[in-house]
Amino acid sequence: MTIEFPLDRDHVELHHLLKLTGICDSGGAGKAMVASGAVTVDGAIELRKSCKIRDGQIVRVGDAVIRVTATH
C-alpha cells in the first residue's frame, strides 16, 4: 500500500506522520511503533520518534509506504 502525504510545511515529526496517515490511531501509538524499530526512513531503521520528515523522504512501516511531497 502506498500513501502519498502532501506536506504543507517544512517538516512533520515521524510519530505525527504515522497518525496523520492512519498507520496508527494516536501519536502515542506512533511513538511506540517507532521505538520498536518497525519504521524505516529512506531505507534505514529510525528510532527517533520526533525525527523531522521532509519533502522527498520515504517512510516504510510493514507493507505501507508513505511518500512525502511538499505542496508549497
Side-chain angles (χ1 to χ4, degrees):
M1 163 175 73
T2 300
I3 300 167
E4 299 292 336
F5 182 79
L7 184 65
D8 62 356
R9 58 198 88 142
D10 182 55
H11 68 273
V12 62
E13 291 183 358
L14 181 55
H15 67 281
H16 288 152
L17 177 67
L18 298 176
K19 178 183 174 186
L20 292 170
T21 56
I23 298 294
C24 59
D25 295 332
S26 68
K31 288 179 180 181
M33 191 176 288
V34 173
S36 76
V39 181
T40 65
V41 176
D42 294 336
I45 293 173
E46 182 56 71
L47 299 173
R48 296 173 296 158
K49 301 163 198 77
S50 36
C51 170
K52 294 177 180 176
I53 304 301
R54 301 179 191 281
D55 176 39
Q57 291 192 288
I58 297 175
V59 176
R60 294 180 191 268
V61 183
D63 63 350
V65 177
I66 304 167
R67 296 181 188 277
V68 179
T69 308
T71 60
H72 63 277

